[in-house]
């Protein structure tokens, strides 16, 4: 229960900061100021927006299917929030450390699609229904290249446990005996005679251990934008065509829940990318000779230093990816639906299949 409350509080804090950051990033890229009046530099604007939404009238359309309409936002947010249960925030802090965390995550966030369809159908609005159908088609399609990219990382690491994958990408190898051997098949760097197991830092991240995973990371990141309905893949919420997409009929608290679910999904996909490809909670700083930066900036397992350093590095990398998502939104124009599907089925999916094949061959040859 404590882990649930802490995760929820952390998520709400990140979403509030992210909503404010998005406005400021958009303002900077468009040569304007953004929020300025509510608090120092407009920093309280997101908090006031939440309070405003909570005070708005909760309207349910007369012609809507009331049960589906009311249940949809809860299901959408619950599906996304449940995914955080298997995310290792530090070497010792995992809300629910299960050995099949990757499989669980892919399964649970798939329920998001059901909630979106319920929101569109339950609204009894043609624009909401069109937006829901677009969302379902887009998310189901882009789950395939995203899943294949994740599969390639799982094949390299030989584990479905997010925490074990995290330990494989750093200098802390004491919890899982035998990983020292596993780390010895580092490819480009190990071939130079450099023992990256003791160096740690960025040299042990998956995208450097197996450079083919750099392609997987790019595929996953692109697909995650579509999974989150973020521009340039925001066709389900195309305001010029559909008013607001599947949530056009929602207001007040229920709209706030849908808004929270979208931003929570952004945070979740970035956390997964960091854990699978970018070293998770491990430090990017390597040991250089007698200067043991990797050990100093990782802390000790079981102590407060390990929790603080692990949380700091995980959230820092996550915020870098979130900032990249915000930049992309205000940089690229929205794709047409045919372009969106062409990118998924004829570009990302074939490349992802090739990466999975290469990852399997690579794993067989290097152990």
């Amino acid at each position: 229960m404590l882990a649930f409350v802490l995760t929820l509080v952390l998520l709400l804090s990140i979403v509030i900061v992210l909503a404010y950051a998005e406005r400021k990033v958009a303002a900077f890229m468009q040569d304007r100021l953004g929020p300025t009046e509510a608090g120092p530099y407009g920093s309280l604007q997101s908090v006031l927006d939440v309070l405003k939404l909570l005070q708005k009238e909760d309207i349910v359309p007369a012609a809507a299917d009331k049960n589906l309409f009311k249940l949809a936002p809860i299901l959408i947010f619950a599906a996304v929030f449940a995914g955080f249960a298997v995310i290792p925030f530090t070497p010792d802090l995992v809300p629910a450390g299960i050995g099949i965390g990757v499989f669980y995550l892919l399964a649970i966030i798939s329920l998001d699609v059901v909630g979106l369809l319920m929101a569109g159908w339950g609204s009894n609005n043609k624009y909401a229904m069109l937006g829901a159908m677009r969302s379902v088609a887009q998310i189901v399609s882009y789950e395939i290249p995203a899943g294949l990219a994740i599969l390639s990382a799982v094949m390299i690491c030989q584990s479905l446990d997010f925490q074990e994958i995290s330990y494989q990408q750093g200098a802390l190898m004491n919890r899982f005996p035998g990983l020292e051997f596993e780390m010895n098949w580092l490819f480009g760097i190990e071939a130079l005679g450099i023992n990256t197991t003791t160096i740690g830092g960025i040299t042990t991240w998956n995208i450097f251990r197996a450079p083919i995973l750099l392609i997987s990371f790019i595929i996953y990141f692109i697909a995650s934008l579509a999974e989150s309905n973020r521009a340039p893949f925001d066709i389900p919420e195309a305001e010029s065509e559909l008013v607001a997409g599947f949530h056009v009929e929602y207001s007040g608290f229920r709209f706030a829940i849908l808004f929270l679910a979208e931003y929570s999904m952004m945070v979740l996909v970035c956390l997964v990318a960091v854990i699978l490809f970018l070293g998770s909670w491990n430090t990017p700083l390597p040991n250089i000779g007698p200067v043991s930066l990797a050990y100093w900036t990782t802390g000790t397992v079981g102590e407060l230093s390990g929790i603080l350093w692990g949380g700091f590095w995980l959230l820092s990398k996550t915020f870098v990816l979130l900032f990249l998502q915000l930049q992309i939104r205000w940089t690229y124009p929205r794709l047409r639906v045919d372009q969106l599907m062409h990118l998924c089925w004829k570009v990302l999916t074939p490349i992802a299949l090739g990466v999975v094949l290469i990852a399997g061959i690579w794993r067989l040859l290097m152990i």
Side-chain angles (χ1 to χ4, degrees):
M1 184 64 183
L2 179 61
F4 170 84
V5 174
L6 290 176
T7 304
L8 183 59
V9 170
L10 177 63
L11 181 60
L12 290 173
S13 303
I14 293 175
V15 168
I16 289 175
V17 172
L18 186 59
Y20 170 73
E22 176 150 37
R23 292 181 173 188
K24 281 296 187 181
V25 170
F28 175 77
M29 297 186 72
Q30 297 171 358
D31 195 22
R32 52 187 179 84
L33 295 178
T36 57
E37 299 299 325
Y41 301 99
S43 56
L44 296 180
Q45 186 65 57
S46 297
V47 178
L48 297 178
D49 285 341
V50 173
L51 295 176
K52 178 190 71 174
L53 286 172
L54 294 179
Q55 297 177 63
K56 277 179 174 270
E57 182 181 0
D58 184 21
I59 300 173
V60 178
D65 185 322
K66 293 177 175 53
N67 292 328
L68 290 181
F69 186 85
K70 294 177 180 179
L71 183 60
I74 300 173
L75 179 59
I76 293 172
F77 177 72
V80 177
F81 184 67
F84 287 89
V86 292
I87 297 297
F89 294 99
T90 71
D92 294 292
L93 181 58
V94 187
I98 58 177
I100 55 171
V102 176
F103 181 76
Y104 163 84
L105 181 71
L106 293 176
I108 199 68
I109 62 175
S110 297
L111 294 176
D112 180 42
V113 173
V114 179
L116 294 175
L117 196 57
M118 287 170 59
W121 181 268
S123 296
N124 195 24
N125 179 297
K126 62 180 180 181
Y127 296 114
M129 189 61 202
L130 284 171
M133 292 174 66
R134 285 183 174 187
S135 291
V136 171
Q138 176 174 305
I139 293 174
V140 170
S141 297
Y142 276 86
E143 279 180 349
I144 295 174
L148 290 172
I150 292 173
L151 177 62
S152 62
V154 169
M155 292 171 66
I156 292 294
C157 296
Q158 293 290 287
S159 175
L160 287 169
D161 187 346
F162 279 117
Q163 189 68 298
E164 184 173 342
I165 293 173
S166 299
Y167 270 95
Q168 289 188 32
Q169 299 179 77
L172 292 178
M173 311 301 295
N174 54 313
R175 178 165 292 189
F176 296 96
L179 285 185
E180 292 87 347
F181 171 77
E182 293 291 333
M183 292 290 288
N184 286 330
W185 44 265
L186 310 193
F187 308 119
I189 300 174
E190 192 72 18
L192 301 177
I194 302 173
N195 187 359
T196 54
T197 304
T198 57
I199 293 176
I202 197 172
T203 64
T204 54
W205 292 6
N206 272 339
I207 58 173
F208 293 100
R209 294 170 62 195
I212 190 66
L213 292 185
L214 178 59
I215 300 176
S216 296
F217 167 67
I218 295 172
I219 292 173
Y220 172 80
F221 186 75
I222 294 173
S224 70
L225 293 176
E227 291 275 315
S228 307
N229 287 335
R230 295 291 296 179
F233 304 99
D234 60 339
I235 288 180
E237 300 172 12
E239 67 279 355
S240 60
E241 306 166 22
L242 301 179
V243 186
F246 63 89
H247 53 70
V248 65
E249 295 287 1
Y250 285 91
S251 63
F253 179 72
R254 290 192 176 90
F255 178 81
I257 292 295
L258 292 172
F259 185 84
L260 176 62
E262 178 178 330
Y263 276 78
S264 299
M265 189 66 170
M266 290 173 57
V267 176
L268 181 61
V269 296
C270 288
L271 281 169
V272 172
V274 168
I275 293 169
L276 292 179
F277 302 105
L278 302 180
S280 188
W281 38 255
N282 290 290
T283 175
L285 304 176
N287 294 323
I288 304 175
V291 184
S292 302
L293 293 176
Y295 299 124
W296 296 343
T297 58
T298 298
T300 304
V301 176
E303 296 184 3
L304 182 61
S305 61
I307 295 176
L308 294 178
W309 276 116
F312 170 76
W313 290 122
L314 182 72
L315 292 179
S316 297
K317 298 171 191 176
T318 302
F319 274 113
V320 170
L321 293 185
L322 287 170
F323 177 75
L324 186 57
Q325 284 190 343
L326 302 184
Q327 265 200 322
I328 289 174
R329 173 176 182 178
W330 301 105
T331 301
Y332 295 101
R334 180 180 296 133
L335 296 177
R336 297 194 313 266
V337 65
D338 61 304
Q339 294 172 326
L340 184 142
M341 290 302 176
H342 178 273
L343 177 64
C344 174
W345 291 106
K346 295 189 177 181
V347 179
L348 295 183
T349 300
I351 295 176
L353 285 169
V355 169
V356 169
L357 177 62
I358 295 172
I361 296 173
W362 208 329
R363 175 70 197 189
L364 289 174
L365 293 178
M366 294 298 175
I367 61 173

